[in-house]
Amino acid sequence: MAAKRCDIKAFPGFRAITILCLFVLYAPLLIVTIYSFNASNSITAWEGLSLRWYVDVFTGPESGKFKRAAWNSFVIAIIAASVATTIATLAATAMVRGGRFRLRTASFGLISLPLMVPEIVLAVATLIFFNAIGFDRGLLTILIAHIAFCIPFAYLPISARMQGIEDSYEQAAMDLYATRRQAFTKILLPLMMPGIISGFLLAFIVSLDDFIITNFVKGAGVETLPTAIFGSVKQGLKPNVMAISTLLLAVSIILVTISYFVSKTDNTK
């Protein structure tokens, strides 16, 4: 006799708790998005719909600072995500296709450990490391730190994708006289591409939004968009910060949506 399946949705209070969690999670984002279209100078008094603060972001007194910070953020995120994705792809290939080897479990733990470590600990450790080797803080230290902590984020979707691909594809290619390198580049790599793209997009978002580690390892006068927003908020919360936050939210939603549909692609059929 088959065991009766437990339906978690039938538990008392499940719907109420779900609605409460969604409200706590999304209400602040919704409020920031709505008030980014407020015509008022106040962040709480509503005076009608306007694109005033979006125009201010690109042409206002602080536009130069925010543009430089946004440029730094996007350049660092693109380079860090590209390098981290390359390293993660090689690591996933070694871990999944490399067969069993000594310290394989320990290697997997070392790759995944930064996901469990509090970010403030990583920030302090990275700062101490750069100071110990006498490395001047600036854009390069931000880039190196971002590459390091983006690798685990890129590794997870790439590794998951590779584990779902049977090695019979490569064996069939090598049975047809393909070399191991040709089997990797012409068979395995194209099949892994959805995971690689998802890993790149995830690493890009994490790098673009990072504040804590960036704030520790950036040099004087060097800003990324999150640190520039934090510096502006310390002088008083202005509506233009809401407009920037909404734009960043839109970019994140677009990239997550792309990543979702790419990860759903199954070209092994």
Side-chain angles (χ1 to χ4, degrees):
M1 182 176 179
K4 188 176 180 180
R5 187 175 179 181
C6 178
D7 186 2
I8 192 172
K9 291 185 290 186
F11 285 7
F14 176 80
R15 178 173 297 180
I17 294 174
T18 302
I19 294 174
L20 178 62
C21 291
L22 291 175
F23 177 80
V24 172
L25 188 62
Y26 289 105
L29 298 176
L30 186 62
I31 291 173
V32 167
T33 302
I34 293 174
Y35 274 87
S36 69
F37 295 99
N38 188 6
S40 173
N41 287 324
S42 170
I43 61 170
T44 55
W46 180 262
E47 293 184 2
L49 284 172
S50 174
L51 295 176
R52 170 187 177 185
W53 299 112
Y54 288 91
V55 176
D56 182 84
V57 167
F58 294 99
T59 61
E62 295 182 299
S63 61
K65 177 181 72 174
F66 287 129
K67 286 178 181 177
R68 286 192 296 275
W71 173 258
N72 289 339
S73 285
F74 278 96
V75 170
I76 289 171
I78 290 173
I79 298 175
S82 300
V83 176
T85 303
T86 302
I87 296 173
T89 302
L90 297 175
T93 304
M95 294 289 291
V96 179
R97 287 293 195 266
R100 300 198 64 82
F101 56 90
R102 185 180 297 180
L103 301 180
R104 182 172 183 268
T105 303
S107 301
F108 177 77
L110 286 174
I111 294 175
S112 305
L113 186 61
L115 296 174
M116 313 294 180
V117 176
E119 192 173 359
I120 187 67
V121 176
L122 290 176
V124 172
T126 308
L127 174 63
I128 293 173
F129 173 74
F130 284 133
N131 286 339
I133 64 175
F135 212 94
D136 292 333
R137 285 180 289 164
L139 286 175
L140 185 57
T141 52
I142 299 175
L143 178 61
I144 294 172
H146 280 216
I147 290 173
F149 75 73
C150 281
I151 290 174
F153 291 96
Y155 175 81
L156 289 180
I158 295 172
S159 174
R161 177 70 183 181
M162 185 177 288
Q163 288 173 351
I165 302 173
E166 297 179 4
D167 58 4
S168 57
Y169 293 97
E170 302 148 78
Q171 292 174 4
M174 287 189 285
D175 286 344
L176 296 173
Y177 304 106
T179 63
R180 186 173 291 277
R181 181 177 179 179
Q182 288 173 327
F184 176 79
T185 57
K186 295 184 181 299
I187 303 297
L188 183 58
L189 199 58
L191 292 175
M192 288 172 53
M193 199 51 66
I196 293 174
I197 295 174
S198 295
F200 173 85
L201 293 176
L202 184 58
F204 180 86
I205 293 173
V206 170
S207 173
L208 186 68
D209 292 343
D210 180 75
F211 168 74
I212 297 179
I213 294 177
T214 304
N215 198 43
F216 272 71
V217 301
K218 75 182 184 68
V222 177
E223 300 288 355
T224 62
L225 203 48
T227 61
I229 291 174
F230 181 71
S232 181
V233 169
K234 284 198 298 184
Q235 299 171 2
L237 190 56
K238 303 173 186 175
N240 60 351
V241 172
M242 293 187 175
I244 297 173
S245 300
T246 303
L247 291 172
L248 271 176
L249 179 63
V251 171
S252 298
I253 291 174
I254 292 171
L255 293 180
V256 169
T257 303
I258 294 173
S259 176
Y260 172 78
F261 283 108
V262 168
S263 64
K264 287 292 182 183
T265 303
D266 186 2
N267 52 11
T268 62
K269 294 180 180 178

